[in-house]
Structures are given as structure tokens and as C-alpha cells.
């Protein structure tokens, strides 16, 4: 079997390593010639996964046609804001009738589309039945080191989800299938915004009580919006909901939590982002969450405060006070 991964960041490279267990060859596409050369000559992605060996079955390239030719499974691992542009270049070379898995956890700012909706928007209809999404608690560094990781793979077509599951199954990587494409994607995207809030609480020194409250009420926000968009609420209590949320809000490797911590310490967002090698998806998703809240009428108070801090320079401590002094209500109320 031959597989393709589009995107040579940490998660794309880590998944290429997973695919290499069951594939005789994995083509990994990246923009940066230096990263591509290092993977091919030293079997290491020194930029994003330094010191972690990459399988010799992984071959990197900057040529999209070479990366996709002959592939029987395609993984899209570009940042969400770059997915449309990359797919516009790649669609001429995409193989027909093979699963296409997106692993980007974001919602496009302009259109408010999830990644599968975006792919349906920019790819011919013949590709639509083969779309799938992978999400769940999975830090790239642990994945690349073959540490035990469990995720969800969702597709509208069960056969596609099962093919993806089989291709990615290893001794250290396990996946569960689902047909809740909506719920899996909203859980994966919005948890990044909540993780920024959790990081801010940590940066402000507000303690474990505050973090637990943010995780719990953050899950309530995610579930409200996801269900409004057609998700099964049970999905949000699973790997791509609560599982990913807990990891991203508490793990030391979380980029979004890091952004929040630095904001809580008083640093400005442009300064924080300028010193990061990879994208913290929650920053852009905070804007999408705010716009979705306005569009749907679903209240997302934590996401809204993160938006105000990130885009309108609101003070983080003031945002916490505003959250705490909202109108009291029942915990199980609809909003």
C-alpha cells in the first residue's frame, strides 16, 4: 500500500510515521526544501520533531504531483487556514476513489465551514463520499515516538472510515470509527479556543479549580454549538470531545494552552505568535466561534472572551471577572 500525507509539520510527519507501519511507501509533501531534504537524508524532521527518527519508508517531496501519484490513502495535515489554497493546487493530482482524511482542527474564518465542508466546497462531487476526519487527544511528539494514542475517525460512509481505521492501526495507534462528522470536527476545533482560556487561567495563577471550571463549562459550550449544527451530543463526551479537550487544556505540549498562558502573563498576542514555529489553531478559531455564535444565536461566553482578548486587546483578568459575574442560571439550562 502507498499513502500520502500533505503537510510536513509535526502532526503530518508523525502520521506519516504511523502510516509507514502498514505502507510500503509514504509520500510526504512539504513546502520547505530544507525540511524535505532532512527527512530524506537524515530521516528526521529537525524543524518540528527534532531527535525523533522518521521511518525510511517515508519519502518527502515539495512536488504535489509526486506526493499524490499512486496513493491509496491521502491525509491532509495543512493548517486549516491554508487548506483551501493547497487543495486548489493539489486537486488535479488527487487519486480517485481513495479515502481523503483531514486532520486539521479549525473552522475557516470567512466561510465558517468545517474542514470537510471546505473540501466539499473546493473539490468535485466525485470526491465527497471519500472524505473523512481524524481527531482526538494526540500530541504529535508522542505520536511520532510511538506512544499509545487513541483517536476517532469519522466519515459519512462507513466503508471509508473502516478503510482509514485499518490503514492506521498499529500496536501504539488505535482509532474508533464514527459517522458523526459534524461532532468530531466541532469538538476538535473549539477545544483549542477553550485551551487558550485554560492557559490564561494558569498564566494568571488562578489554580486548579478555575481550570476544571473552564474545561467543564467549555465542554458545555462546544456541545451546545455542535448539537445546533447537527452533532450527536454523545460524540462530545468521547475522544474527539472531552478527551481532546482535557489533553489540550492540561498538557505541557499544547500550543494553544501556551498561547493562553503567555496572554495571562501579560504578553501581547503578536509577540507570542512570532516566537512559535507552528500554528495555534485556537487563535483563528476564536474568531470563527464568535461569528458562529452571532449567526446561530448559541451563547459561547468563554469563546467570546477569548475572542475579545485576542482581537480587541481585552485584559485577561477583566475577562475572568466578566465570566464570573454573568447572570446566575441553572447548570443544565440550554444556554
Amino acid at each position: 500500500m502507498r499513502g500520502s500525507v500533505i503537510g510536513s509539520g509535526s502532526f503530518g510527519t508523525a502520521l506519516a510515521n504511523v502510516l509507514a507501519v502498514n505502507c510500503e511507501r509514504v509520500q510526504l509533501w512539504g513546502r520547505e526544501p530544507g525540511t524535505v531534504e532532512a527527512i530524506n537524508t537524515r530521516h528526521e524532521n529537525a524543524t518540528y520533531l527534532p531527535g525523533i527518527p522518521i521511518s525510511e519508508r517515508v519519502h518527502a517531496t515539495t512536488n504535489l504531483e509526486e506526493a499524490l501519484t499512486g496513493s491509496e490513502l491521502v491525509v491532509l495535515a495543512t493548517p486549516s487556514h491554508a487548506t483551501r489554497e493547497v487543495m486548489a493546487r493539489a486537486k488535479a493530482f488527487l487519486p480517485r476513489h481513495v479515502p481523503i482524511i483531514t486532520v486539521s482542527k479549525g473552522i475557516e474564518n470567512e466561510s465558517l465551514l468545517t474542514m470537510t465542508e471546505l473540501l466539499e466546497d473546493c473539490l468535485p462531487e466525485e470526491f465527497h463520499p471519500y472524505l473523512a476526519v481524524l481527531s482526538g487527544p494526540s500530541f504529535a511528539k508522542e505520536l511520532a515516538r510511538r506512544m499509545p494514542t487513541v483517536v476517532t475517525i469519522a466519515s459519512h460512509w462507513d466503508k471509508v472510515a473502516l478503510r482509514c481505521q485499518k490503514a492506521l492501526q498499529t500496536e501504539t495507534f488505535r482509532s474508533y470509527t464514527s459517522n458523526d462528522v459534524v461532532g468530531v470536527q466541532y469538538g476538535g476545533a473549539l477545544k483549542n479556543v477553550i485551551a487558550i482560556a485554560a492557559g490564561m487561567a494558569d498564566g494568571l495563577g488562578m489554580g486548579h479549580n478555575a481550570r476544571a471550571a473552564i474545561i467543564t463549562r467549555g465542554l458545555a459550550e462546544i456541545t451546545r454549538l455542535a448539537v445546533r449544527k447537527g452533532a450527536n451530543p454523545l460524540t462530545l463526551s468521547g475522544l474527539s470531545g472531552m478527551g481532546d479537550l482535557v489533553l489540550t487544556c492540561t498538557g505541557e505540549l499544547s500550543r494553544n494552552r501556551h498561547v493562553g498562558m503567555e496572554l495571562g502573563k501579560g504578553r501581547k498576542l503578536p509577540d507570542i505568535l512570532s516566537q512559535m514555529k507552528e500554528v495555534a489553531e485556537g487563535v483563528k478559531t476564536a474568531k470563527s466561534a464568535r461569528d458562529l455564535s452571532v449567526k446561530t444565536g448559541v451563547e459561547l461566553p468563554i469563546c467570546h472572551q477569548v475572542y475579545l482578548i485576542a482581537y480587541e486587546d481585552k485584559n485577561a483578568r477583566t475577562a475572568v471577572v466578566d465570566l464570573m459575574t454573568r447572570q446566575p442560571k441553572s447548570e443544565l439550562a440550554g444556554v
Side-chain angles (χ1 to χ4, degrees):
M1 182 176 178
R2 292 168 67 94
S4 300
V5 178
I6 307 302
S8 61
S10 60
F11 202 74
T13 305
L15 272 179
N17 237 13
V18 173
L19 269 177
V21 174
N22 296 322
C23 292
E24 60 179 317
R25 186 175 176 87
V26 179
Q27 297 287 119
L28 175 63
W29 175 83
R31 296 180 188 269
E32 302 167 7
T35 300
V36 166
E37 181 183 5
I39 291 171
N40 290 336
T41 58
R42 304 200 307 272
H43 306 292
E44 177 191 23
N45 187 331
T47 304
Y48 300 114
L49 295 172
I52 300 176
I54 306 302
S55 171
E56 294 185 8
R57 294 182 179 183
V58 176
H59 175 78
T61 177
T62 57
N63 185 301
L64 279 167
E65 182 176 11
E66 180 183 355
L68 290 165
T69 298
S71 179
E72 298 168 71
L73 179 75
V74 177
V75 176
L76 304 180
T78 55
S80 60
H81 66 270
T83 299
R84 186 179 291 274
E85 176 263 323
V86 172
M87 292 313 297
R89 296 166 51 201
K91 67 180 179 180
F93 312 119
L94 278 174
R96 268 60 177 172
H97 312 302
V98 305
I100 301 171
I101 317 173
T102 175
V103 300
S104 303
K105 297 177 179 178
I107 298 170
E108 191 176 42
N109 282 159
E110 296 78 12
S111 66
L112 303 183
L113 297 176
T114 64
M115 291 300 99
T116 57
E117 291 171 334
L118 184 154
L119 293 172
E120 289 174 349
D121 188 49
C122 64
L123 292 178
E125 191 172 347
E126 65 179 300
F127 291 100
H128 297 183
Y130 296 91
L131 298 177
V133 56
L134 182 153
S135 191
S138 49
F139 284 145
K141 287 184 179 179
E142 295 186 5
L143 186 61
R145 291 191 174 108
R146 305 192 191 282
M147 300 172 75
T149 302
V150 186
V151 301
T152 301
I153 297 174
S155 176
H156 292 302
W157 190 9
D158 291 344
K159 184 177 179 180
V160 169
L162 289 168
R163 286 174 64 183
C164 297
Q165 182 185 51
K166 182 178 179 180
L168 290 163
Q169 183 72 37
T170 74
E171 291 183 351
T172 58
F173 190 84
R174 178 179 176 83
S175 60
Y176 289 85
T177 60
S178 170
N179 60 10
D180 188 3
V181 175
V182 173
V184 168
Q185 288 183 97
Y186 273 93
L190 294 178
K191 58 88 183 178
N192 287 325
V193 185
I194 304 303
I196 293 176
M200 285 191 293
D202 288 343
L204 289 164
M206 292 188 166
H208 298 297
N209 294 351
R211 183 197 295 170
I214 289 170
I215 292 172
T216 308
R217 295 309 302 166
L219 181 64
E221 291 189 19
I222 296 170
T223 303
R224 281 199 299 270
L225 183 58
V227 169
R228 176 66 62 87
K229 300 295 286 186
N232 182 338
L234 292 177
T235 298
L236 285 309
S237 65
L239 291 162
S240 58
M242 176 59 84
D244 208 2
L245 179 64
V246 169
L247 179 74
T248 313
C249 288
T250 63
E252 298 297 326
L253 296 175
S254 170
R255 296 192 294 270
N256 293 284
R257 178 175 177 267
H258 168 76
V259 168
M261 287 186 68
E262 296 304 305
L263 286 169
K265 293 174 183 177
R267 293 185 62 198
K268 297 299 182 182
L269 184 62
D271 295 335
I272 300 168
L273 298 181
S274 69
Q275 296 180 359
M276 296 178 65
K277 292 181 180 179
E278 292 191 273
V279 174
E281 290 274 19
V283 175
K284 289 185 178 294
T285 305
K287 183 178 186 304
S288 294
R290 192 286 303 262
D291 293 345
L292 280 165
S293 178
V294 172
K295 182 178 180 179
T296 62
V298 174
E299 190 177 7
L300 306 175
I302 298 174
C303 290
H304 183 64
Q305 292 299 326
V306 172
Y307 167 80
L308 292 175
I309 294 164
Y311 289 90
E312 298 186 12
D313 204 27
K314 183 173 183 175
N315 178 271
R317 191 173 293 276
T318 302
V320 173
V321 173
D322 288 346
L323 283 171
M324 293 294 291
T325 55
R326 293 173 64 241
Q327 179 69 30
K329 60 183 63 177
S330 167
E331 182 177 20
L332 300 182
V335 294

